[in-house]
Amino acid sequence: MTGPVGTLASEALACLMRECPRAHGAMRTAISDRRVRLEIGRDTFDLVAGAVAAPHGEASLLIRSDAATVSELVHGELDLVDALVTDRVHVRGDIDAVLAASTAMTAFLAGALRCDSMPALLQRLANMERT
Amino acid sequence: MTPAHELRAIAASIARHDYLRRSRGQREWLHFSVDGPGADIVVNLSLVDDPRRAVERTRLTLLAYADGRWEGDVEELDPDRLELRGGELFAAWGRNRVELRDGAFRIDAKLARRPVAVALTLRPRSYPSLATNARIGGGLINWLVVPHATASGSIAVGERVLSFASAPAYHDHNWGRFDGRDLAWQWGRSLAADPARPSSIVFARLCDPIETTVFTQVLMLWEGVRPSRVFRGAELRVEREGLLRPARVLVVPRVATAIAQGPTDVPRRLHIHANSDGDELHGVFEAEDVARIVVPNEHDLHATGIHEVVGCFRATGHVRGEPFELASRAVFEFVQRVA
């Protein structure tokens, strides 16, 4: 079981698969068979094969942040480099995994632009940061 | 001052126009811009019928440039809350409206996720100009332009509310069937702020996405309510100078920021020279700042950027022996692939 951020991430990925499968496919291809662990506030979950999974075993990449930072990043209010240098986003993993995650993030955002249902999900993320 | 009977005739000519066509596979957008005192305002309502997905997507773009910074966003309108009336200009969602009523464009729009709202009434002050079936790549585009209108109303950006009356304003309506991969454009408009001498220009240059083929280019001049001169094709020469490189570019929709934050190829100055049959004009658009509207490509996962650029346009020349001068606020657009 994951918390509210993991649930939202799961819904966002399902939305992507449903409304922009090409972007979802590009994201899956980039991540390949890696397991990416996300620690967002108190919520910890893994991304595996383009879906959210319960944390299990060792991950190829760890990304630690908080809901407010993730919301600011996806809404263009915060630059990723600024977030990294101010420790609002912490990343640990080998360089191939980091680059794969970056490509996957680009595919996700390119798909998010094309999904009718995504703005409402991103608004839920923005509301989450305020609560 | 435009006589009342002329204003009525202008309103009637615009009312006859067939707005909101909503045909299968068609793209259509309505563009309004206002040189308000203290704020440049851009409003765009676009409808894209996507037969592959059997949906009609409607987007509102609302941008304001005030105090040296841009604010605004692009929002997808919920089809279940949206009323569109085919054949006329009427779009309503919640308390928001874009409509043509009693000879005036009325725009009441508030962004759901950003603190920007407008309440505008635009009254056309010139006859529209219509270009139909311009061929672009494998498609066709149509264009109705009203270069001179006056806007009254207000804009709220955050806590700040700016009210104005009779501000210079512009409107166009574009529609057609074409593939987004076929087309890029440079477009601009400027209207004198002095109501006693309402000179205005509209420039448009349609080309392929890498600007190796110019499908059509035109510079239209108005003095008062009617066009006074149109320069086309080889009568025009366009030169770019420098590059506009602001420290940060507002990207809308916001979710595109992380993938489309790269530098623009917007020129710092765009020179337009027109010369034909003894008439000539030399103009320069001086860019001040830019906002980037990201439009997802339909054929791949990349995107195209429509750059809304505010600045000033200055032109001198002569038409049929009469001097033509313009020095005023301007909005130009430059389109490029961005992500």
Side-chain angles (χ1 to χ4, degrees):
Chain A
M1 287 291 287
T2 62
V5 180
T7 301
L8 191 53
S10 182
E11 288 179 47
L13 290 170
C15 168
L16 194 69
M17 189 161 60
R18 192 174 58 245
E19 298 182 20
C20 190
R22 191 164 45 176
H24 189 267
M27 195 179 162
R28 278 191 69 156
T29 302
I31 292 290
S32 186
D33 57 355
R34 294 179 181 87
R35 176 174 284 268
V36 178
R37 182 149 305 149
L38 289 153
E39 293 180 9
I40 310 297
R42 295 178 182 174
D43 212 346
T44 300
F45 52 96
D46 288 355
L47 291 181
V48 185
V52 169
H56 176 74
E58 195 169 333
S60 313
L61 184 70
L62 170 71
I63 300 172
R64 186 182 298 132
S65 189
D66 56 80
T69 299
V70 175
S71 176
E72 287 177 40
L73 285 169
V74 297
H75 287 100
E77 293 156 2
L78 177 66
D79 185 78
L80 180 58
V81 174
D82 292 340
L84 287 164
V85 298
T86 54
D87 283 335
R88 293 184 65 184
V89 173
H90 172 87
V91 179
R92 194 182 74 215
D94 67 52
I95 192 66
D96 287 344
V98 173
L99 290 173
S102 171
T103 304
M105 185 68 185
T106 300
F108 174 81
L109 291 171
L113 261 178
R114 290 160 168 84
C115 295
D116 296 341
S117 310
M118 197 64 82
L121 294 172
L122 297 180
Q123 188 58 45
R124 270 174 56 196
L125 177 65
N127 294 342
M128 197 178 282
E129 77 174 85
R130 286 196 282 270
T131 57
Chain B
M1 193 74 178
T2 311
H5 74 274
E6 196 91 78
L7 292 176
R8 282 195 298 275
I10 290 168
S13 70
I14 292 168
R16 282 195 292 273
H17 179 59
D18 191 9
Y19 276 101
L20 298 195
R21 288 154 187 262
R22 307 187 68 195
S23 303
R24 189 166 170 78
Q26 183 174 272
R27 298 161 190 272
E28 178 169 15
W29 65 94
L30 301 149
H31 185 92
F32 303 90
S33 69
V34 179
D35 306 334
D40 299 285
I41 304 163
V42 174
V43 181
N44 191 297
L45 186 71
S46 81
L47 291 77
V48 177
D49 179 68
D50 185 347
R52 285 173 301 184
R53 297 173 56 205
V55 292
E56 184 181 50
R57 300 186 72 162
T58 308
R59 292 188 180 97
L60 173 74
T61 302
L62 182 48
L63 292 170
Y65 182 70
D67 299 326
R69 63 183 290 265
W70 287 95
E71 176 57 279
D73 210 345
V74 178
E75 292 184 349
E76 191 93 20
L77 304 183
D78 180 353
D80 295 334
R81 295 182 63 228
L82 179 64
E83 182 186 357
L84 294 167
R85 294 181 189 162
E88 61 180 295
L89 175 42
F90 183 90
W93 63 103
R95 294 181 176 177
N96 304 281
R97 291 273 188 289
V98 177
E99 63 177 320
L100 175 62
R101 178 162 47 88
D102 302 329
F105 301 104
R106 296 164 200 277
I107 305 167
D108 279 287
K110 183 177 186 298
L111 290 175
R113 289 183 293 277
R114 301 297 304 180
V116 184
V118 291
L120 301 169
T121 300
L122 275 71
R123 294 195 179 279
R125 302 290 179 189
S126 66
Y127 288 99
S129 180
L130 180 65
T132 54
N133 296 325
R135 186 159 290 284
I136 43 168
L140 295 170
I141 191 169
N142 305 275
W143 186 34
L144 174 126
V145 55
V146 180
H148 180 195
T150 52
S152 300
S154 63
I155 178 165
V157 181
E159 299 295 310
R160 191 164 175 221
V161 179
L162 294 164
S163 298
F164 45 86
S166 300
Y170 167 94
H171 162 63
D172 67 30
H173 175 213
N174 306 265
W175 71 99
R177 286 183 181 79
F178 50 90
D179 192 320
R181 78 185 88 184
D182 289 339
L183 181 64
W185 67 82
Q186 296 156 10
W187 164 91
R189 65 98 189 151
S190 184
L191 167 64
D194 179 4
R197 194 178 167 79
S199 307
S200 59
I201 65 102
V202 176
F203 166 70
R205 192 173 199 234
L206 304 181
C207 47
D208 69 353
I210 52 173
E211 293 185 38
T212 53
T213 303
V214 176
F215 300 125
T216 183
Q217 57 181 7
V218 62
L219 176 69
M220 294 182 277
L221 278 53
W222 276 261
E223 291 266 29
V225 298
R226 289 185 172 82
S228 58
R229 186 66 161 95
V230 180
F231 296 96
R232 296 178 192 281
E235 297 169 351
L236 286 172
R237 188 162 51 86
V238 180
E239 297 169 327
R240 291 165 167 261
E241 180 188 345
L243 288 168
L244 183 67
R245 286 291 157 86
R248 190 170 171 82
V249 176
L250 173 69
V251 177
V252 294
R254 305 275 174 153
V255 70
T257 303
I259 56 173
Q261 188 50 249
T264 78
D265 74 349
V266 171
R268 180 160 291 283
R269 292 179 198 85
L270 188 76
H271 299 267
I272 302 169
H273 305 283
N275 196 320
S276 175
D277 293 333
D279 296 337
E280 66 175 19
L281 181 135
H282 302 282
V284 58
F285 171 65
E286 185 102 25
E288 181 180 321
D289 208 342
V290 55
R292 175 179 281 169
I293 301 168
V294 175
V295 181
N297 294 351
E298 285 158 12
H299 54 281
D300 60 27
L301 280 177
H302 297 292
T304 298
I306 301 173
H307 297 89
E308 296 289 332
V309 187
V310 290
C312 291
F313 186 78
R314 289 181 181 79
T316 57
H318 54 85
V319 173
R320 285 186 287 276
E322 295 292 320
F324 183 96
E325 289 191 10
L326 178 61
S328 194
R329 201 73 183 146
V331 180
F332 273 60
E333 283 182 353
F334 298 87
V335 173
Q336 73 177 103
R337 181 173 152 166
V338 292

